[in-house]
Amino acid sequence: MPDAVANRYQLDLEVAEGPLSTLHRGTVRGDHGFSRVVAIRDLHRPLAGDRRFVGTWAATAAELAETPSPHVEQVFDVVAQDGHVYVISEWIAGVSLRRWIAAHAEPVPWPLAVEVAIEALRGLVDAHARTPALCHDGLCSAAVRIARDGTVKLTRFGAATALATTGMGRRRLEELGLRHPAPELVTGGDAGPSTDQLGVGALLYEMLAGAPPYPPEPGPERDAQVTGEPPDLATARPDVPPLLVALVERALSPEPEARFGSVTEMAQALARLLRSHPEPTGPEVLAASLQGLERDAAAAEAPAFAAPIEVDDETPGGPAALAASVRGLLRDAGKAPQGLGGEVAQQRTMHVTADELEEIRERLESSPAPVA
């Protein structure tokens, strides 16, 4: 592996091995001494060699770059070099929502959980406003990060959709932790904006109850629970206001049309509830919460923050398992892509050559507010 990428990115430190890539802390260097810390993901070889995956994910990144959100990880560049594909994005110094939840000795205070959910929903608003809507399709506690300044950011935006173009099935994506279970997907439908609502509802449930609403292992038993009535949050967390229980149950409804009309409507409903709470919430409170958890963990030598908090969580199954799955799919040349349907499949999937990939990279590089 080279020490530099495209003569402007320096690979400084390998910090994590994830299901899609190897994550490096890197530096972008410009003229007159300019430099900036960035995240550099080296896609695992089977994925880097699949133009369906690379093209679809790059197209999603390019669309997000047109209207960047402070609540979505910004991708600055995509570089193909010597058989590798590198995705360069902002470096988010912080901790995943999964680790933040695990680090709490007591249940997460419900106002903090609601604040995180509102900020995550704000990251979806502009993406859902597109035609067709651009969906995350993989919201889980490992794909949400709380930065040191208290900002909530969505990561892996569009990764599940891109993997689906390779032919990877729903249950395998769930097993790898890259797609949350949803009733409409279990019954053979497509992901849509309401699927992301359900994802945020599942995040809320996990923050409040300390565990996801459904069993961790994909299979018929979990499918039956996902398509049935939402789990009882009031029993798992009796101190939560009844209105919040009702809002979470609505987001987790097995019928997409029974959920909120939009992510904006869901965020507004949660914000009205939060205004009834006398204590302040916001990024400053989340930042203070993160700092307090770090101090407590250091004093108790607790394992939740034992690794550097900048490091991404590993996903169950790991990169080797994912690589094996993708290699098998690529060998099966006649296998049709699964998990995308109709209009979404036509508009979100790109079959790109090396020259077209370079054009995508140049488009990202010239988009507003990239690295400078």
Side-chain angles (χ1 to χ4, degrees), residues 288-299:
S289 165
L290 181 57
Q291 293 162 11
L293 292 173
E294 286 186 77
R295 288 193 299 270
D296 293 345

Side-chain angles (χ1 to χ4, degrees), residues 107-122:
V108 174
W110 71 261
L112 276 186
V114 171
E115 178 66 29
V116 171
I118 291 172
E119 297 303 293
L121 288 164
R122 286 174 177 163

Side-chain angles (χ1 to χ4, degrees), residues 1-360:
M1 181 182 298
D3 294 330
V5 177
N7 296 320
R8 56 185 183 277
Y9 303 108
Q10 183 69 36
L11 296 171
D12 299 327
L13 178 67
E14 182 178 321
V15 295
E17 189 83 2
L20 303 177
S21 62
T22 302
L23 173 66
H24 297 260
R25 181 185 174 114
T27 305
V28 57
R29 301 192 183 280
D31 296 332
H32 305 291
F34 171 83
S35 66
R36 177 178 178 175
V37 175
V38 292
I40 302 178
R41 290 179 173 84
D42 182 8
L43 295 184
H44 296 313
R45 281 303 183 100
L47 295 178
D50 191 312
R51 61 184 183 180
R52 296 166 297 182
F53 173 81
V54 175
T56 303
W57 204 9
T60 300
E63 288 193 66
L64 291 171
E66 291 175 359
T67 53
S69 165
H71 301 295
V72 176
E73 178 187 36
Q74 293 186 54
V75 175
F76 300 140
D77 206 349
V78 178
V79 179
Q81 177 177 308
D82 300 329
H84 293 261
V85 173
Y86 300 94
V87 179
I88 291 86
S89 59
E90 63 176 313
W91 180 260
I92 305 173
V95 65
S96 73
L97 185 60
R98 176 184 293 172
R99 289 194 180 186
W100 184 76
I101 295 169
H104 282 79
E106 301 292 333
V108 174
W110 71 261
L112 276 186
V114 171
E115 178 66 29
V116 171
I118 291 172
E119 297 303 293
L121 288 164
R122 286 174 177 163
L124 296 168
V125 170
D126 288 340
H128 283 193
R130 294 177 175 275
T131 304
L134 189 61
C135 300
H136 189 288
D137 193 21
L139 286 170
C140 63
S141 55
V144 179
R145 295 185 71 79
I146 300 177
R148 285 184 179 273
D149 64 359
T151 303
V152 176
K153 290 182 179 283
L154 306 180
T155 66
R156 300 179 187 169
F157 208 111
T161 301
L163 277 172
T165 68
T166 70
M168 185 170 289
R170 172 184 62 85
R171 283 188 179 169
R172 184 59 180 146
L173 285 167
E174 292 177 8
E175 183 181 342
L176 290 165
L178 294 169
R179 174 179 268 171
H180 58 273
E184 54 267 36
L185 301 178
V186 170
T187 56
D190 297 321
S194 63
T195 312
D196 281 349
Q197 285 184 37
L198 184 142
V200 177
L203 291 175
L204 258 174
Y205 187 99
E206 184 175 352
M207 285 186 280
L208 295 168
Y214 305 111
E217 294 299 325
E221 180 181 350
R222 185 167 80 173
D223 287 351
Q225 293 188 37
V226 168
T227 54
E229 290 300 313
D232 186 4
L233 177 59
T235 300
R237 189 70 188 271
D239 65 308
V240 168
L243 179 55
L244 179 54
V245 172
L247 293 176
V248 173
E249 288 179 349
R250 182 177 177 184
L252 294 176
S253 172
E255 299 297 332
E257 59 271 17
R259 298 170 200 157
F260 296 89
S262 66
V263 289
T264 299
E265 181 183 332
M266 184 176 176
Q268 290 171 343
L270 290 171
R272 284 194 295 271
L273 171 64
L274 201 56
R275 284 197 292 269
S276 69
H277 183 67
E279 299 296 326
T281 58
E284 299 83 1
V285 178
L286 284 175
S289 165
L290 181 57
Q291 293 162 11
L293 292 173
E294 286 186 77
R295 288 193 299 270
D296 293 345
E301 298 183 353
F305 285 177
I309 65 170
E310 297 89 351
V311 175
D312 282 351
D313 286 316
E314 293 187 18
T315 299
L322 176 62
S325 293
V326 175
R327 277 196 297 270
L329 291 170
L330 295 181
R331 282 195 300 268
D332 189 359
K335 187 176 182 69
Q338 300 176 6
L340 288 177
E343 185 178 351
V344 177
Q346 296 172 13
Q347 298 199 27
R348 297 296 180 205
T349 305
M350 294 174 59
H351 298 268
V352 295
T353 64
D355 290 339
E356 289 169 334
L357 183 60
E358 180 65 12
E359 183 178 344
I360 292 170

